Amino acid sequence: MELLCIRQWISGLLPTVKKWLSAWCIKPVGGALVRQEPEYILLALMGSPLKKIMLCSSEKEIFSVEEQVMVQHSVIINNMIEDGSYNHEESKIPLDCVDSKTLKKVIDYCTHHTHHHNDNQEDLEAWDAQFLNVDSNGLYDLLMAANYLEIRNLLDLIYGTIKNMIKGKKIDEIRRIFNIKDHGFTPEEEEQNRKEYPHFY
Amino acid sequence: MFSEGLGADESLCQDVQSLSVSKRLVRSVSQKLRKKNNRSAGEEDDDLKGVALRCLTLYSRGGGCKVGADTSDEFSDSNGRRRSSASEEGRGYKPICGPEETAVDCFSYGVRDIFWRRHSRKNSEIEELAANTRMHIFLPDDVLEMCLVRLPLTSLMNARLVCKKWRALTTTPRFLQMRREGSYQNPWLFLFGAVKDGFCSGEIHALDVSMNQWHRIDAEYLRGRFLFSVASIQDDIFIVGGCSSLTSFGRVDRSSFKTHKGVVVFSPLTKSWRKIPSMKYGRSVPILGVSEVSSDFPTCQGHQSRQDRRPRSRIGGVSDVYEDPHKLSMRRHCRSSFNESEASSVTSRRTYKFLRQKSDHSSSKGSRRVLLIAVGGLGSWDEPLDSGEIYDSVSNKWTEIQRLPFDFGVACSGIVCGKMFYVYSETDKLAAYDVERGFWISIQTSPFPPRVLEYYPKLVSSDGRLFMLSVSWCEGDGQIGRRNKAVRKLWELDLMYLTWTEVSVHPDAPMDWNAVFVADKSLIFGIEMFKIFGQVLDFFTVCDVSDMARWHHISRNHVTHELDASSCLTKTVAVLHL
């Protein structure tokens, strides 16, 4: 209730406030979205609790996270909120393809990047490296979650990580890493390749 | 003392005989080198430039050391002070100057067994992680594609051999398109014209700039051919003209040779060669310009009208009428329709047929139309030519274009910028060929400082801007008023107001009058090779015109230690974005 009154008050002020607040756009992080609603910024200035949204994992666990954070990173969630289909009081966003563990990690990523987007590049990269220090199952789950929620920068990060598993490695090692049992070449083709490019094997 | 080593002009001149460097220049260079050595190593720039020069001192003192070896030793302590340029990561290339041991591979696109690189902390961590992780889960194809598209070329070639599925995924046009658009490609430099033991071996040395790796490609096709010109566009390199010795095959023999009309196209991605129709005239070192145009780009076939009858000099050697009888009939044919040209000093009443090339293929996506212009060069008797020809990939034939303007002189450099083909002459004239309308325009520009005579300026075009590298005399350090130091500078021509402005100064003393400069997107690469102290040295530099245009060194002295001095003369370079 409290929140609603404040909101009405702000709406009254909005026309004058909006002008100088229009410069205050939230910087897009990793090519994601820009959320420019001045109300929320003013709320933040006033120290009121930020709007939170509820995300529900496949295991029916509920995570509460700042709306700003998720909306910046995830295209899907941003669309849902903008549609107006999400009611802050009652709704929770069901994410049936994402389990709790992964969802927690995703929220962790988004939160860190929102709050630390002004940090220098090296620190962010170091944090990312640490963040991705998971086993292949975890990486796969993260990838699927990021894909579903359309979190561009997390996706790019994971693609880059997998690319680095391939880059600079010998073919036999790549086959081992990616569990490619049958390469599909005929024995003659394979032998031809090995002869032509011995350095690759 | 170092200067004494250089002081004997005669011996030095002998060494650089083929380069015909003037004595004055040599003296100024030795002065500059001496000063560099005395200066403290506190300045950043000197870290990179200074090292090679320090090596030279060692060479003269110790006698007989391999410059390449010294370079790596020198670097081991200066690495800590490496500068970090903001532009590095974004362009996908690093001016790497760490103590790599990069030797030339003997197999095409072979991956080096040992190489180091200065990683950022993040890279090494992620690669450790990669080593420990094993993907037990099956990756969906679209994810796999997104990962493979980010690979640099050598790793991509590697990936294609992993399994059939990966090969299929990475060879679709859509994949290649995605790779091009996502800026995952990097520049590759291709060095042609290597001469080893007096023999034109037809080897192409390719430098993967981003990984700082050299590869060697054997080109049977180019064996014995020298003094050809190359031009690169998209994924192809056109090799035009050239000479080959008639008496001793493969040797760089200018006493008895034949000049080629033939043109071949080399595609490094597929390592394939194909021939396209030959030019009308045999040319060596023609000036080339290449551009990609849309399939309905109007090309003009200019014919010289009767009015354009200027006194013919011995250039070309054959009189106008007998040259092309077909032209005579064409003139009669086109007399009915003629047009006043708006050209400034090349005034000629000309008739032209306006040709609209309709592409045979239905969609514009499939075929790409390339126009290749060859102008000037030396003919069959080593005479300078003023004729020009244009090749259209759609019609697959060469057509003659209007000759160079009358008093233009010998063309020494040319480049396509926008829709114009700019050509510079040895007598410092600039002309542009309007490809669409088919005539030459002489361009009057603001004058700029007199250049060193032996060093013909080189035109380069990057990001739609026109640049020129020219060696001019500047004031030596601490010698106000006396212009006795030769400096190579990068100039830009303002295409609207036709004024030259200085953009940046090249850090190296201009020792190579046949230095080659090529541009790729917003990077300009400089390749210099010269023989000094009995060794052929090579210096590769690059600058980014969109960011301060400061020059960095890349890949020193890795290729040419086994090449002959005549490679400096015959060398030519093309750059591709692969």
Side-chain angles (χ1 to χ4, degrees), chain A residues 5-128:
Chain A
C5 295
I6 296 172
R7 201 196 156 93
Q8 277 170 358
W9 177 66
I10 291 168
S11 312
L13 282 179
L14 263 181
T16 40
V17 163
K18 230 173 189 167
K19 246 183 242 166
W20 60 267
L21 273 184
S22 59
W24 279 61
C25 55
I26 299 175
K27 241 195 306 189
V29 178
L33 329 140
V34 174
R35 182 77 172 168
Q36 283 195 50
E37 299 285 356
E39 301 110 63
Y40 302 116
I41 299 163
L42 200 52
L43 272 175
L45 285 175
M46 288 169 57
S48 305
L50 291 166
K51 281 213 172 171
K52 296 226 170 172
I53 54 174
M54 311 289 199
L55 302 176
C56 183
S57 75
S58 59
E59 292 150 2
K60 303 297 172 216
E61 208 181 314
I62 307 212
F63 293 85
S64 171
V65 63
E66 286 169 23
E67 181 178 319
Q68 236 186 64
V69 165
M70 286 320 291
V71 137
Q72 259 180 56
H73 288 89
S74 165
V75 176
I76 295 291
I77 294 184
N78 181 55
N79 291 345
M80 266 190 220
I81 306 268
E82 280 201 345
D83 275 347
S85 56
Y86 184 78
N87 181 341
H88 285 89
E89 301 306 300
E90 298 158 12
S91 325
K92 28 189 206 295
I93 300 177
L95 302 169
D96 289 330
C97 347
V98 189
D99 65 14
S100 297
K101 184 170 139 213
T102 315
L103 188 53
K104 187 164 187 310
K105 277 218 97 159
V106 168
I107 292 172
D108 203 16
Y109 177 87
C110 297
T111 317
H112 183 267
H113 272 259
T114 306
H115 293 159
H116 292 251
H117 72 266
N118 279 327
D119 281 8
N120 67 358
Q121 202 57 29
E122 279 163 12
D123 289 342
L124 280 176
E125 284 173 6
W127 190 92
D128 283 343

Side-chain angles (χ1 to χ4, degrees), chain B residues 1-3 37 50-75 77 533:
Chain B
M1 202 24 232
F2 184 65
S3 57
N37 282 323
V51 177
L53 305 165
R54 264 182 263 143
C55 294
L56 291 171
T57 51
L58 280 175
Y59 186 84
S60 68
R61 258 188 259 134
C65 81
K66 215 152 165 237
V67 180
D70 277 330
T71 313
S72 49
D73 286 342
E74 290 288 318
F75 270 127
D77 35 84
F533 306 129

Side-chain angles (χ1 to χ4, degrees), chain B residues 70-89:
Chain B
D70 277 330
T71 313
S72 49
D73 286 342
E74 290 288 318
F75 270 127
S76 47
D77 35 84
S78 63
N79 250 323
R81 286 169 280 157
R82 249 202 76 200
R83 73 161 88 79
S84 67
S85 161
S87 63
E88 283 166 16
E89 277 306 325

Side-chain angles (χ1 to χ4, degrees), chain B residues 477-547:
Chain B
D477 299 332
Q479 302 191 37
I480 320 278
R482 289 180 58 203
R483 293 177 166 267
N484 59 358
K485 180 168 127 167
V487 172
R488 200 190 295 271
K489 292 189 184 174
L490 180 69
W491 300 79
E492 181 177 359
L493 180 69
D494 184 324
L495 294 168
M496 178 90 75
Y497 298 110
L498 299 177
T499 50
W500 290 103
T501 37
E502 188 183 317
V503 175
S504 69
V505 175
H506 197 273
D508 291 345
M511 295 287 285
D512 183 4
W513 57 261
N514 189 30
V516 181
F517 291 90
V518 285
D520 172 54
K521 304 264 191 283
S522 62
L523 297 175
I524 298 182
F525 293 92
I527 299 95
E528 290 173 83
M529 263 166 63
F530 51 88
K531 186 167 179 185
I532 194 163
F533 306 129
Q535 276 223 341
V536 178
L537 306 181
D538 62 278
F539 293 91
F540 289 79
T541 43
V542 62
C543 89
D544 186 347
V545 294
S546 62
D547 170 40

Side-chain angles (χ1 to χ4, degrees), chain B residues 294-295 357-361 367-371 391-397:
Chain B
S294 60
S295 37
Q357 296 279 6
K358 285 248 164 35
S359 170
D360 289 329
H361 311 261
S367 60
R368 289 182 306 197
R369 185 166 167 212
V370 166
L371 293 177
Y391 170 79
D392 189 340
S393 64
V394 159
S395 62
N396 198 31
K397 63 178 167 61

